[in-house]
Every structure is written in structure tokens, then in C-alpha cells.
Amino acid sequence: MSDVDRVPVEVAVGVLVERDSAGSEGRFLLTSRPEGKVYAGYWEFPGGKVEAGETVEQALARELREELGIRIGATHPWQVLVMDYPHARVRLNFCKVFDWTGDFQMLEGQQMAWSQLPVAVTPVLPGTIPVLQWFAAERGHAGPTHLD
């Protein structure tokens, strides 16, 4: 079956962004993929598969509660990207999130890092790189979006 024939798995992705005192977008949260998962150790935006009967927003709220132990407020749909990985074809539904409650807990043994451009944590999951480029375009950032 060719990549074009593979039906993408729907994935909800949370782009958690801090606001500075002036209300501008600041640092964003990246998490590492835990041991035992494909691409373990790679950095990405947190999220996961949309289950049957869920909206992207419902899936994102569930995933961030299960992975990070937080409850999110409103989600802001931002970008959609289809990525072909050797193990799966995924449709990544990126939503910005500015409001959450609770203390961050790495419930899957992952790590977290509040980041800015260029991102210093490596390696970065391939599906994360376009998001960093979108951030750079929005923020008028010149130069690399991540360090290799």
C-alpha cells in the first residue's frame, strides 16, 4: 500500500503557550517521547490519538490530563498537517492552548522543557519542525528554528 492509500490516524496536539505580561505569546512546551514508544527520546508537542466519538478538543483535553496531569481551558485550532512516518500516517491537528490548571506531572516518564526559538532540545520529531517554522513566521524570527 502506498503512502497515499494509507488512511491517516487523527491526532490532537497541544501547543501550550505562555503569555507574557503584555499578552504576547512567549515560551511553548515540548515533551520527550517516553521509552517504549516509537521515536523514544524525540521532542514533540504533547497530545495523542483521537478516539472514536471524540472531537479533537475532547481528545486533547483527555490526552493532556493523562500525560501531563493538567486540565486545559479553551483550545484554539491552529494548523493541520499530514505526516507520513514509516510506522503510520498521521493527521496532526495542532491547537494552541493558553489556559490550564494543575501542576505538570510527567505521568508517562517523559521530560518537559519550556522552549523558545531556536529550540535547544534535540532530537526534534519531524512533525514538530513545521510547527517551529510556523512560530518563526508568526513571530518574525529570522534564523534556525531548532539546533541540530
Side-chain angles (χ1 to χ4, degrees), residues 21-91:
S21 58
S24 297
E25 293 183 16
R27 300 182 309 168
F28 47 88
L29 182 73
L30 292 173
T31 58
S32 64
R33 291 186 58 81
E35 289 302 318
K37 288 196 175 183
V38 177
Y39 288 100
Y42 278 70
W43 290 85
E44 65 178 354
F45 292 94
K49 292 179 188 171
V50 176
E51 302 292 344
E54 282 184 321
T55 65
V56 168
E57 293 79 7
Q58 290 167 335
L60 186 57
R62 177 184 49 77
E63 286 286 345
L64 296 182
R65 191 172 53 253
E66 291 172 359
E67 290 179 19
L68 306 178
I70 61 169
R71 295 198 180 278
I72 61 172
T75 59
H76 304 274
W78 184 35
Q79 302 275 1
V80 177
L81 174 69
V82 175
M83 287 292 300
D84 285 305
Y85 290 104
H87 69 286
R89 185 171 207 222
V90 293
R91 179 178 293 112

Side-chain angles (χ1 to χ4, degrees), residues 82-141:
V82 175
M83 287 292 300
D84 285 305
Y85 290 104
H87 69 286
R89 185 171 207 222
V90 293
R91 179 178 293 112
L92 302 168
N93 297 276
F94 294 98
C95 298
K96 286 186 178 180
V97 178
F98 300 101
D99 302 304
W100 56 86
T101 57
D103 294 327
F104 286 92
Q105 305 166 55
M106 299 297 102
L107 299 173
E108 295 185 343
Q110 73 275 44
Q111 296 179 302
M112 65 178 274
W114 286 103
S115 300
Q116 300 180 59
L117 296 175
V119 171
V121 292
T122 59
V124 175
L125 194 67
T128 298
I129 294 170
V131 183
L132 302 177
Q133 294 167 338
W134 300 330
F135 267 137
E138 280 186 356
R139 297 174 178 197
H141 185 276

